[in-house]
Amino acid sequence: MIEGFETLAIHAGQAPDPRTGAVVPPIYAVSTYKQDGVGGLREGYEYSRSANPTRTALEECVAALEGGTRGLAFASGLAAEDAVLRALCRPGDHVIIPGDAYGGTWRLFDKVYEGWGLHYDPVPLGDLDAVRAAVRPDTRIIWVETPTNPLLGIADIEALAAIAHAAGAVLVVDNTFATPYLQQPLALGADVVVHSTTKYAGGHSDVVGGALVARDKEIGDRLAYHQNAMGAVAGPFDAWLTLRGLKTLAVRMDRHCDNAERVVDLLLSHPRVTEVYYPGLAGHPGHEVAAKQMRRFGGMVSFRVAGGEEEAVAICDRTKIFILGESLGGVESLIEHPGRMTHASVAGSALEVPGDLVRLSVGIESVSDLLADLGQALGG
Ligand SMILES: *Cc1c(COP(=O)(O)O)cnc(C)c1O
């Protein structure tokens, strides 16, 4: 009986190829499958939008890692989110989203789904009373991110699941930042986990993808139906790259956390840094909840600087190892200015982020090099 996380990451859904013994699932670059007589499908494979063996391997692996009954792989994280909303909501329904939701998630709700009659309210999910007050009779989903992007806010998954279920709603958790290695939302009561596998799951900044994992069969079947009916599936090469990334997820996450902790120490001691956002800090408002539901605190760190927006932008231009770029979760360290980059689309909305904020995705390079690079970029 296999149940260790690292073992599942390497073996779940990935039995050696029955024909050749290849120890890695082949890339099945194929659209259709020979039938042994009309309707005589081999292992259910008929057409690759419906199912493809390389994608099946990835889907079984993510389902095992999240402890769900069904995993589904999509062309992007946003395609996965779109499938959840269309499978579970109807026009007139209401969704609660995090007060500092990922910008693309907010844009999907605000600019796309409002036009189709799905309404949303951004609520600070760390405040359970605010969530209870925002729940309406037509609330269909409470949509959770924890930690959030870019302010690393923490939400109590177990408490939110209780609120959602009491209201007859579904709890969806975007587990992109934590990954199943650090946090297991389904075990805490969530119904669906969403991933941008573009980030830590893939882990090498070489593929865009998304995934869903359902706790129960009924929701899993509905999501699978929509995956096929809507068609935004992961291609076989993308599925293969993501699966290769997943094999090392645990060791990468531990190093991301090690390095992030050292970066946090440097930032805390720097005179020009005015605030550091990291859920591992005892003074972080969500620290206790994070310590309860996360194994460690992840590789994302945000901070504010004394010199305001111009200084924050200048720091982003001065780093040499931290690459200036959007996205996160790859082996290489990235730096960005959320206000002008990832979160530019939420300017002027309730989700606007401070101009003096810098976000780091701390990679797995030698930590001494990362600390030296940040030190020179921050200046004396
Ligand atoms: C990147 C991201 C997404 C969107 O995923 P894509 O793969 O870019 O479509 C959703 N949620 C979070 C938290 C993300 O970081």
Side-chain angles (χ1 to χ4, degrees):
M1 178 67 189
I2 293 174
E3 46 191 35
F5 186 92
E6 290 85 345
T7 314
L8 290 171
I10 293 166
H11 294 289
Q14 304 165 74
D17 180 53
R19 191 164 77 86
T20 65
V23 298
V24 169
I27 302 170
Y28 282 89
V30 66
S31 59
T32 191
Y33 304 81
K34 172 180 162 50
Q35 304 192 7
D36 297 321
V38 175
L41 306 184
R42 299 188 190 178
E43 309 210 3
Y45 291 103
E46 177 180 27
Y47 181 64
S48 279
R49 169 165 33 72
S50 312
N52 171 284
T54 317
R55 197 175 90 222
T56 302
L58 171 60
E59 291 177 335
E60 290 182 1
C61 187
V62 289
L65 294 180
E66 289 284 2
T69 57
R70 187 79 185 247
L72 299 162
F74 290 83
S76 70
L78 282 171
E81 295 188 18
D82 187 32
V84 174
L85 295 178
R86 286 203 248 179
L88 302 184
C89 297
R90 293 291 168 270
D93 284 348
H94 173 251
V95 179
I96 291 174
I97 72 167
D100 56 347
Y102 169 71
T105 298
W106 172 80
R107 186 176 54 200
L108 182 64
F109 280 99
D110 193 70
K111 307 295 185 206
V112 178
Y113 272 96
E114 278 281 350
W116 293 89
L118 184 67
H119 309 298
Y120 78 97
D121 278 310
V123 177
L125 300 186
D127 180 349
L128 296 175
D129 288 332
V131 177
R132 281 187 204 98
V135 170
R136 312 186 332 197
D138 55 357
T139 300
R140 181 73 185 118
I141 292 178
I142 299 181
W143 188 282
V144 178
E145 285 177 38
T146 181
T148 58
N149 176 19
L151 292 172
L152 286 310
I154 297 294
D156 186 330
I157 296 171
E158 208 167 4
L160 289 166
I163 294 173
H165 296 157
V170 166
L171 194 80
V172 175
V173 176
D174 181 333
N175 206 25
T176 299
F177 268 41
T179 82
Y181 179 63
L182 299 181
Q183 175 171 281
Q184 303 250 298
L186 301 181
L188 295 165
D191 300 286
V192 178
V193 165
V194 179
H195 277 282
S196 170
T197 53
T198 312
K199 317 294 169 52
Y200 288 106
H204 296 74
S205 304
D206 54 10
V207 60
V208 170
L212 298 176
V213 181
R215 193 186 56 209
D216 301 330
K217 183 173 181 318
E218 195 264 325
I219 288 182
D221 287 348
R222 234 185 311 164
L223 296 173
Y225 182 88
H226 280 73
Q227 181 198 39
N228 180 51
M230 290 161 55
V233 296
F237 185 54
D238 289 359
W240 186 88
L241 281 171
T242 306
L243 201 49
R244 182 160 85 155
L246 280 178
K247 288 175 190 282
T248 55
L249 180 64
V251 288
R252 284 189 286 107
M253 290 316 291
D254 272 324
R255 183 60 67 87
H256 282 296
C257 294
D258 291 344
N259 286 358
E261 288 166 10
R262 297 284 302 278
V263 163
V264 165
D265 288 344
L266 177 141
L267 293 171
L268 285 173
S269 67
H270 199 282
R272 309 200 29 198
V273 172
T274 55
E275 190 151 4
V276 180
Y277 299 89
Y278 189 64
L281 292 172
H284 184 288
H287 176 69
E288 269 178 43
V289 172
K292 183 182 73 168
Q293 68 191 16
M294 299 178 78
R295 186 199 297 254
R296 297 183 69 182
F297 304 101
M300 299 301 297
V301 180
S302 294
F303 62 97
R304 298 172 74 172
V305 290
E309 180 156 350
E310 293 313 314
E311 180 62 12
V313 169
I315 289 167
C316 293
D317 286 334
R318 282 200 291 263
T319 54
K320 298 194 167 66
I321 297 174
F322 280 84
I323 299 169
L324 178 61
E326 301 198 354
S327 198
L328 59 107
V331 292
E332 65 288 300
S333 292
L334 297 175
I335 189 167
E336 69 123 356
H337 184 268
R340 292 196 191 170
M341 295 170 60
T342 50
H343 289 65
S345 70
V346 298
S349 81
L351 283 77
E352 186 167 308
V353 296
D356 58 3
L357 187 77
V358 175
R359 188 189 78 178
L360 303 176
S361 172
V362 181
I364 63 171
E365 299 96 334
S366 310
V367 72
S368 53
D369 290 330
L370 298 183
L371 298 176
D373 189 34
L374 271 182
Q376 67 78 23
L378 286 162

